[in-house]
């Protein structure tokens, strides 16, 4: 009798990002968070602004080209919601500063832009008295970890009370397993680790994702340097910051930027801005920062295109066609029939959808198709007697 085929289980990722990706800007007071937030807010013509929150269009040449090609009535790019979270101080987990209000906001985001100060300015007082980026990084991470510990203790306490009064059935078995894992996770945190540093199996990741733990969220580090240092591409603190990240969170991204420089650019019109950048032989790093939010979360997007609308839809990399269809509407996933697919690279090369079809690159894909970055998709689905298309 032949051995059973081993089905490789797909690894579940931490986090539950949706088509509306939210990233919180965190850091100590006076590190340049608000300057960065204002620069991001003013950098996008498509931005919709609210107090301490801005919706920024993700820059993408492919989307721009598709809009020029299809000339749709409506254009909806991928968006990133950036939330400016009030400055965190030492002791915030115990209520110092805005304390719990701040930390509850961090729980609601999908990822974190961690702004750390790497500039000296006698007119901008540092809350800790002097400039020491690695100390500042430790303070923030410690406060986030302490908040997770506080939350987990409460959750474990509630679960244990439910187990003591339970019937001992299947539901209680699930609660018992969850409670045992959360106790293990609590010990992991109390040893000084972040949730995202652990090696968790799929069931454990499901438990973690249900709690929205702060230290499970991916982090992009933004080192705010002076305009002078940014333009000369040199700063005395960057090597120490990079070494700290490599030791504590290997693989995490560090992006140097100058809040003052970026904010100044947003005050210029497009022509003056281009002239300024050319004169200084410099580039704005804001597009890279915005795009990094997607790549850090292992997100990408596919497009739906036509004369009515061109739109980018956010998905996790490795998503199969039915799940990708469900981003548009749950009915698309539930009644999935097939996906008609071609890629942006095909239409860019061949010039039209008709030419793509003639070249045999317009293909029909089933439920096992893994959506590729830049796919253009037309979904067919049926949840009633009448077939519907999209």
């Amino acid at each position: 009798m032949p051995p059973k085929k081993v089905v490789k289980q797909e690894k579940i990722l931490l986090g539950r990002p949706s088509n509306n990706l939210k990233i919180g800007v965190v850091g100590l007071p006076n590190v340049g968070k608000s300057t960065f937030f204002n620069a991001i807010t003013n950098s996008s013509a498509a931005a919709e602004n609210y107090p301490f929150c801005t919706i920024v269009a993700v820059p993408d040449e492919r989307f721009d080209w598709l809009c020029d090609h299809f000339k749709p009535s409506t254009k909806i790019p991928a968006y990133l919601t950036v939330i400016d979270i009030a400055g965190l101080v030492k002791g915030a987990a115990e209520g110092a500063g805005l304390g719990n209000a701040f930390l509850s906001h961090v729980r609601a985001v999908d990822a974190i832009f961690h702004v750390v100060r790497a500039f000296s300015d006698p007119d901008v007082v540092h809350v800790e008295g002097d400039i020491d980026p690695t100390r500042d990084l430790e303070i923030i991470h410690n406060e986030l970890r302490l908040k997770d510990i506080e939350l987990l203790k409460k959750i474990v306490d509630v679960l244990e009370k439910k187990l003591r009064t339970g019937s001992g059935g299947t539901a209680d078995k699930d609660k018992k397993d969850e409670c045992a894992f959360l106790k293990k996770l609590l010990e992991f945190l109390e040893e000084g680790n972040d949730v995202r540093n652990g090696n968790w199996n799929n069931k454990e990741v499901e438990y973690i994702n249900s709690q929205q733990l702060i230290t499970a969220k991916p982090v992009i580090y933004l080192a705010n340097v002076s305009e002078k240092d940014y333009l000369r591409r040199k700063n005395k603190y960057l090597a120490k910051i990079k070494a700290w990240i490599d030791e504590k969170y290997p693989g995490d991204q560090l992006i140097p930027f100058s809040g003052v420089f970026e904010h100044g650019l947003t005050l210029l019109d497009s022509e003056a801005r281009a002239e300024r950048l050319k004169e200084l032989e410099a580039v704005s790093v804001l597009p890279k920062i915005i795009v990094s939010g997607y790549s850090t979360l292992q997100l990408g997007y596919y497009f739906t295109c036509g004369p009515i609308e061109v739109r980018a839809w956010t998905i996790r990399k490795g998503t199969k066609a039915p799940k990708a269809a469900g981003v548009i509407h749950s009915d698309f996933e539930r009644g999935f029939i097939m996906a008609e697919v071609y890629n942006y690279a095909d239409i860019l090369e061949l010039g039209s959808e008709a030419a793509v079809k003639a070249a045999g690159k317009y293909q029909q894909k089933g439920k096992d198709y893994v959506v590729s970055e830049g796919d253009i998709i037309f979904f067919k689905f049926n949840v009633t007697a009448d077939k519907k298309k999209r």
Side-chain angles (χ1 to χ4, degrees), residues 85-99:
I85 297 168
L88 181 62
V89 297
K90 190 184 294 184
E94 299 172 354
L98 291 180

Side-chain angles (χ1 to χ4, degrees), residues 159-175:
L159 281 172
E160 287 182 330
K161 287 178 180 176
K162 287 182 178 178
L163 287 169
R164 284 195 292 269
T165 58
S167 62
T170 302
D172 281 355
K173 172 65 169 61
D174 291 340
K175 284 191 181 73

Side-chain angles (χ1 to χ4, degrees), residues 266-286:
T266 65
L267 302 178
L268 304 173
D269 61 36
S270 57
E271 188 175 327
R273 185 172 179 270
E275 188 176 327
R276 173 74 171 156
L277 290 172
K278 183 178 180 181
E279 174 191 342
L280 296 172
E281 297 182 347
V283 296
S284 167
V285 78
L286 290 184

Side-chain angles (χ1 to χ4, degrees), residues 292-303:
S292 72
Y294 268 73
S295 59
T296 297
L297 281 163
Q298 298 190 48
L299 298 175
Y301 36 89
Y302 67 87
F303 303 100

Side-chain angles (χ1 to χ4, degrees), residues 18 34 45 50 52 98 133 154 195 198 240 243 261 271 277-278:
S18 66
S34 294
Y50 305 94
F52 310 110
L98 291 180
K154 291 178 180 178
V195 174
K240 291 180 181 179
F261 175 70
E271 188 175 327
L277 290 172
K278 183 178 180 181

Side-chain angles (χ1 to χ4, degrees), residues 190-331:
E190 289 175 333
E191 289 168 358
N193 303 299
D194 281 8
V195 174
R196 63 196 180 96
N197 287 97
N199 184 21
W200 315 114
N201 63 39
N202 282 355
K203 189 63 179 177
E204 291 169 338
V205 171
E206 288 178 359
Y207 290 142
I208 292 169
N209 286 346
S210 68
Q211 306 302 339
Q212 291 186 301
L213 296 169
I214 300 171
T215 64
K217 302 178 189 301
V219 180
I220 300 141
Y221 297 91
L222 306 180
N224 189 11
V225 304
S226 67
E227 182 171 0
K228 179 181 177 181
D229 282 0
Y230 180 75
L231 294 174
R232 68 176 184 163
R233 299 175 178 84
K234 189 175 181 181
N235 176 272
K236 65 181 181 180
Y237 299 110
L238 289 179
K240 291 180 181 179
I241 297 171
K242 182 69 166 61
W244 185 91
I245 294 171
D246 289 346
E247 178 189 353
K248 304 279 187 178
Y249 305 98
D252 280 6
Q253 190 173 12
L254 170 64
I255 304 177
F257 82 107
S258 169
V260 171
F261 175 70
E262 296 291 350
H263 183 59
L265 289 177
T266 65
L267 302 178
L268 304 173
D269 61 36
S270 57
E271 188 175 327
R273 185 172 179 270
E275 188 176 327
R276 173 74 171 156
L277 290 172
K278 183 178 180 181
E279 174 191 342
L280 296 172
E281 297 182 347
V283 296
S284 167
V285 78
L286 290 184
K288 179 181 179 180
I289 291 173
I290 295 169
V291 171
S292 72
Y294 268 73
S295 59
T296 297
L297 281 163
Q298 298 190 48
L299 298 175
Y301 36 89
Y302 67 87
F303 303 100
T304 52
C305 298
I308 296 175
E309 178 184 273
V310 169
R311 182 164 182 168
W313 299 92
T314 299
I315 56 170
R316 272 267 169 91
K317 291 179 181 176
T319 298
K320 292 184 178 179
K323 185 72 70 176
V327 174
I328 298 176
H329 196 284
S330 59
D331 282 353

Side-chain angles (χ1 to χ4, degrees), residues 22-28 31-38 40 52 54 81-88 102 105-106 109 111-116 140 220 222 257 289:
K22 298 183 181 70
I23 295 194
V25 184
V26 307
L28 292 170
V31 298
K33 291 190 308 85
S34 294
T35 305
F36 165 71
F37 178 78
N38 290 335
I40 282 278
F52 310 110
T54 189
T81 300
V82 183
I83 302 168
D84 185 18
I85 297 168
L88 181 62
F102 162 86
H105 294 160
V106 183
V109 303
I112 293 169
F113 283 141
H114 186 157
V115 180
V116 61
I140 297 294
I220 300 141
L222 306 180
F257 82 107
I289 291 173

